[in-house]
Amino acid sequence: MEIRLNQVGKKYKNIVALNEIDLTIPQGMFGILGPNGAGKTTLMKILMALLPADTGEITINGIPISQRTKIRECVSYLPQEFSFYPYMSVLEAMDYMALLVGIKSVVKRKEIINELLVKVNLIKHKRKKFKTLSGGMKRRLGIAIALLKDPKVLIVDEPTAGLDPDERVRFRTLLSEFAKDRIVVLSTHIVGDIEHTCKNIAIIDQGNIIFCGERQHLMDEALGKVRVVEIKCEELSDIQSKYYVISINEANSGYSVKLITDKKIGEEVKPNMEDAYLVKMLSHTSDARSNFQELLC
Ligand code: ADP
């Protein structure tokens, strides 16, 4: 089970959204991380066969993306904003969508809907109208609907946008469970969305894949580049002008500043996922790179 992209390129007039990327997405949870405008949505739309790529080849579990009907049978999408008819209940929404995906037998529909609502923990809310559901419930209903056709691939855009911390954890756990025998692709600009769930990730920036591999490798690459320095209050602006500052905390009579550098200043700290992402982005982007390299010399 895997998604393979080979030299996939996409332009909108003169904007390069994807720059001939190569990517292999294995079974399990896979995170696609990148800033706004990086090309994530374009990539997701191409994977769903909603948008054709200009160049390259894509296969999903061996099926070429050009076989759109087959691809749509095995790929489901959960958008960031999941909306539905406000006065429909959870049960009505599920039944309506089950009919649309072609489950004709009433008995079968009941059985599948019941099973899915239990899985996403919405069974006790099945009579609630869509408009009365919380953000987390709406997203869980979205998953249940996306799973009606038992897809082999589930694509989720900005997984935790608008969810409170408790709902976030539950939603991530749910996705991890589904990923046991599927591919779940999470596209996000929020490091926390993939920090605890995706073993494998890709980082995309300006249409290029700048990292692809195990999350741990990204963290290992950042070792030695994240340091904490204790400074006086009046030194802050100087530090900010010289270094990429990750965070500033009040400490004693000044500040404790976490920053990115190769210089042996302050104390080295173990990078977390967000630090590692910033180190990668900084060493890659052309504007930042020249600044960064000045700092390294
Ligand atoms: P992301 O999802 O990472 O924010 P997108 O795939 O939406 O990135 O966008 C990638 C680039 O392509 C951006 O520069 C964006 O402005 C541009 N873009 C996206 N969609 C269109 C479009 N329909 N027409 C023109 N440019 C677009």
Side-chain angles (χ1 to χ4, degrees):
M1 195 183 275
E2 67 176 17
I3 302 175
R4 264 175 188 273
L5 291 94
N6 180 19
Q7 296 285 294
V8 173
K10 180 75 192 172
K11 269 188 187 172
Y12 299 104
K13 293 193 180 141
N14 55 352
I15 297 171
V16 179
L18 293 177
N19 191 13
E20 298 182 353
I21 61 168
D22 294 321
L23 186 62
T24 301
I25 302 179
Q27 189 259 315
M29 294 268 272
F30 189 91
I32 295 185
L33 186 61
N36 288 328
K40 302 182 298 296
T41 308
T42 303
L43 178 57
M44 299 302 110
K45 283 185 183 165
I46 290 174
L47 291 181
M48 286 179 288
L50 291 175
L51 188 71
D54 299 336
T55 59
E57 287 149 22
I58 304 166
T59 55
I60 297 183
N61 296 339
I63 308 167
I65 202 94
S66 53
Q67 297 186 17
R68 291 163 66 138
T69 314
K70 274 197 177 170
I71 291 290
R72 288 195 187 144
E73 272 167 20
C74 71
V75 181
S76 265
Y77 174 60
L78 180 59
Q80 186 181 349
E81 288 288 324
F82 176 72
S83 53
F84 213 83
Y85 300 108
Y87 292 98
M88 263 197 188
S89 70
V90 168
L91 215 47
E92 286 164 345
M94 287 293 284
D95 197 54
Y96 177 78
M97 293 309 290
L99 260 176
L100 281 187
V101 299
I103 310 170
K104 295 207 175 73
S105 148
V106 179
V107 180
K108 186 125 205 222
R109 277 210 305 277
K110 271 194 178 163
E111 189 189 313
I112 293 174
I113 289 169
N114 201 63
E115 190 186 312
L116 283 173
L117 289 182
V118 169
K119 261 193 195 166
V120 303
N121 201 15
L122 275 182
I123 197 77
K124 59 179 184 290
H125 304 293
K126 65 182 180 185
R127 311 242 172 249
K128 278 196 176 165
K129 299 217 179 316
F130 183 81
K131 65 171 195 158
T132 66
L133 301 179
S134 71
M137 287 176 187
K138 282 181 184 162
R139 296 224 92 192
R140 279 184 278 140
L141 174 60
I143 288 209
I145 288 175
L147 294 179
L148 274 168
K149 60 182 179 186
D150 195 19
K152 290 284 166 271
V153 178
L154 179 63
I155 294 176
V156 187
D157 201 5
E158 300 290 343
T160 62
L163 302 188
D164 65 36
D166 187 38
E167 284 177 329
R168 259 173 213 206
V169 173
R170 263 186 287 155
F171 189 72
R172 284 177 188 151
T173 313
L174 189 60
L175 290 177
S176 300
E177 273 171 36
F178 290 132
K180 285 202 179 100
D181 52 0
R182 294 183 176 89
I183 298 174
V184 176
V185 183
L186 303 184
S187 153
T188 184
H189 66 277
I190 301 165
V191 175
D193 278 345
I194 60 171
E195 191 170 12
H196 305 292
T197 42
C198 300
K199 184 174 163 220
N200 293 298
I201 62 165
I203 299 178
I204 183 167
D205 185 36
Q206 296 174 19
N208 295 294
I209 301 287
I210 62 167
F211 176 86
C212 183
E214 289 192 16
R215 192 182 56 195
Q216 189 56 48
H217 290 168
L218 183 75
M219 317 261 270
D220 293 346
E221 278 184 20
L223 279 173
K225 295 188 168 74
V226 182
R227 306 188 79 91
V228 168
V229 289
E230 305 285 333
I231 57 164
K232 295 187 192 123
C233 294
E234 58 271 24
E235 291 171 327
L236 185 60
S237 56
D238 185 45
I239 285 282
Q240 282 177 311
S241 68
K242 285 186 180 150
Y243 299 98
Y244 186 96
V245 170
I246 299 174
S247 63
I248 303 167
N249 285 303
E250 280 183 31
N252 302 325
S253 54
Y255 297 108
S256 167
V257 179
K258 194 196 237 189
L259 47 80
I260 298 175
T261 181
D262 267 2
K263 286 187 183 170
K264 306 273 180 267
I265 56 169
E267 216 177 290
E268 184 184 330
V269 290
K270 203 171 163 206
N272 62 26
M273 173 80 182
E274 188 153 40
D275 302 336
Y277 170 63
L278 290 171
V279 168
K280 191 68 184 173
M281 291 296 291
L282 201 56
S283 61
H284 171 75
T285 22
S286 50
D287 290 348
R289 189 165 48 220
S290 52
N291 293 338
F292 191 60
Q293 274 164 354
E294 262 173 41
L295 298 174
L296 300 186
C297 25

